[in-house]
Amino acid sequence: MGSTYGKIFKISTFGESHGVGIGVIVEGCPAGVDFDTDFIQSELTRRKPGQSRITTQRKEADEFEVLSGVFEGKTTGTPIALIIRNEDQRSKDYSHIAAQFRPSHADYTYQVKYGVRDYRGGGRSSARETAARVAAGALAKLLLANFGVNIQAYVSQVGAMKLDKFYTELDLTQTENNAVRCPDPEMAEKMFNYIDDVRKKGDSIGGVVNCVVKGVPAGWGEPVFDKLHAELGKAMLSINAVKGFEYGSGFDGVAMLGSEHNDAFFVDDKGEVHTRSNHSGGIQGGISNGEDIYFKVAFKPVATIMQDQESVDSHGDPAVVQGKGRHDPCVVPRAVPIVEAMAALVLADFYLRNKASKL
């Protein structure tokens, strides 16, 4: 039940970190969408491990196979099944924690819930599962591109090192030009060196990913429980290691007066309604208003560190967990395409839901 997302554009992911592979089934994608394999592969490449010395050194090509739902380069309207086979499993790296609970991991909670767990890299709880989301999100991006929707995420913070510039002050085309995926070259270099220093100490650090969505027309979203920002929040909080979500003015908005925070409407030269400011983050009443949608996603430090940590084992006895395996010292550089993918999945679903909401 917990592996499915969406109402109309619906995905179900499957697989484990050290199993045969991971994959996704996409239902509800309209027929006739151009299935750009190069683009989908490029999105997976952005997320794959082993990109630089500040990411996990697990070597996975993350090449996907299409099992169904595509014919002659276009979607057929039937379920689309994609699989990404695992190639570089080292299950022996996890044999030492077969009966131990790693601090801040899902080991203990999975054991309590299911009575059994796959300890090899966390099994289903591993962030490797997100590759399936990125593949599905790439397809959602291809659908949304037909309507001029563009989604761009970037790293804005690593630890206390924060990029204090609003997205309108940045050249977001520079995001992919460095390993950190920060569009400010000077800050990117500082962030890279900091992450690398943390890595050398056998530790980890968290960070923040910002996301900007342009081109969403007014009217996408649902009232009450399925508000657009609520679904974006749910989608982002479903990503491994995410600890916080805010959109628009977010927590900073509480320090503003209503007269400062309200977004005044006006009609432009084309006769279109816009707002002079955008503290609402492109969403009002849970429905898009046609302005840019922007939000932030906070990621905790990666739970696996290359240091000994106190814990307990499955028998309740004290244990010392030794840091082994291959892990990111900071997850945010590889999280950028995951954030974009989840945003695309939310918006693709709301696009289809909006089509069904009126004549």
Side-chain angles (χ1 to χ4, degrees):
M1 292 185 290
S3 294
T4 299
Y5 180 77
K7 296 288 181 69
I8 298 179
F9 194 100
K10 184 185 297 184
I11 71 164
S12 297
T13 68
F14 61 88
E16 294 82 30
S17 177
H18 286 247
V20 173
I22 51 178
V24 62
I25 297 173
V26 181
E27 298 181 84
C29 182
V33 176
D34 288 331
F35 193 84
D36 188 338
T37 55
D38 289 340
F39 174 72
I40 296 173
Q41 188 59 61
S42 70
E43 292 292 277
L44 286 167
T45 298
R46 293 173 67 208
R47 193 222 69 99
K48 76 175 185 178
Q51 296 181 33
S52 73
R53 68 173 183 265
I54 62 167
T55 64
T56 172
Q57 294 306 296
R58 180 169 176 170
K59 300 298 182 183
E60 296 284 356
D62 279 356
E63 295 178 350
F64 73 98
E65 302 172 37
V66 181
L67 303 183
S68 66
V70 179
F71 182 68
E72 294 184 341
K74 293 186 180 295
T75 58
T76 63
T78 59
I80 299 166
L82 309 176
I83 188 170
I84 303 162
R85 300 187 186 277
N86 293 327
E87 299 174 339
D88 189 22
Q89 310 98 313
R90 294 184 187 175
S91 300
K92 65 179 183 301
D93 286 350
Y94 301 91
S95 58
H96 67 292
I97 52 98
Q100 296 178 339
F101 301 134
R102 294 170 296 171
S104 290
H105 273 279
D107 299 344
Y108 172 71
T109 50
Y110 266 57
Q111 184 71 44
V112 172
K113 179 175 177 62
Y114 297 107
V116 63
R117 67 182 174 91
D118 183 348
Y119 60 83
R120 303 167 303 166
R124 184 68 178 151
S125 69
S126 170
R128 179 139 183 77
E129 179 269 341
T130 59
R133 306 187 195 200
V134 170
L139 179 58
K141 280 187 174 183
L142 290 171
L143 171 63
L144 293 167
N146 291 303
F147 317 107
V149 175
N150 177 264
I151 303 169
Q152 175 71 69
Y154 63 94
V155 173
S156 65
Q157 185 171 345
V158 172
M161 196 173 293
K162 185 177 181 180
L163 180 62
D164 286 319
K165 293 181 180 178
F166 198 53
Y167 74 87
T168 54
E169 303 173 66
L170 299 167
D171 180 2
L172 299 186
T173 64
Q174 300 298 310
T175 301
E176 294 295 318
N177 290 346
N178 58 77
V180 180
R181 293 200 166 95
C182 173
D184 184 287
E186 184 177 345
M187 179 60 76
E189 184 177 4
K190 293 178 180 178
M191 288 176 171
F192 182 95
N193 292 334
Y194 179 50
I195 295 171
D196 197 32
D197 185 55
V198 168
R199 176 189 65 84
K200 292 174 182 176
K201 294 176 180 177
D203 219 326
S204 63
I205 190 67
V208 175
V209 172
N210 287 26
C211 188
V212 182
V213 185
K214 294 179 176 291
V216 174
W220 291 12
E222 300 291 338
V224 193
F225 297 114
D226 284 359
K227 291 180 171 68
L228 176 54
H229 58 272
E231 286 299 310
L232 284 169
K234 176 182 178 180
M236 298 307 145
L237 289 164
S238 76
I239 301 171
N240 306 59
V242 169
K243 302 297 287 185
F245 169 83
E246 68 173 24
Y247 76 102
S249 61
F251 287 96
D252 290 339
V254 305
M256 301 174 69
L257 297 172
S259 55
E260 299 172 307
H261 192 273
N262 287 345
D263 297 319
F265 289 106
F266 74 99
V267 177
D268 67 11
D269 295 339
K270 298 179 181 179
E272 298 176 347
V273 175
H274 288 284
T275 59
R276 297 195 184 280
S277 56
N278 189 18
H279 301 300
S280 299
I283 304 169
Q284 294 171 325
I287 299 170
S288 61
N289 66 2
E291 304 300 320
D292 292 351
I293 296 170
Y294 64 94
F295 57 87
K296 296 180 180 179
V297 188
F299 289 80
K300 71 175 183 178
V302 175
T304 298
I305 58 177
M306 298 299 106
Q307 299 177 16
D308 291 350
Q309 301 178 83
E310 292 183 2
S311 188
V312 298
D313 62 23
S314 55
H315 304 292
D317 297 323
V320 175
V321 176
Q322 296 178 326
K324 294 182 179 180
R326 299 159 294 173
H327 304 275
D328 296 85
C330 181
V331 73
V332 289
R334 293 176 59 216
V336 166
I338 303 170
V339 167
E340 292 180 5
M342 292 308 299
L345 291 168
V346 171
L347 292 167
D349 194 40
F350 272 122
Y351 159 70
L352 295 172
R353 292 169 70 174
N354 194 57
K355 288 186 65 176
S357 66
K358 61 182 178 181
L359 292 175

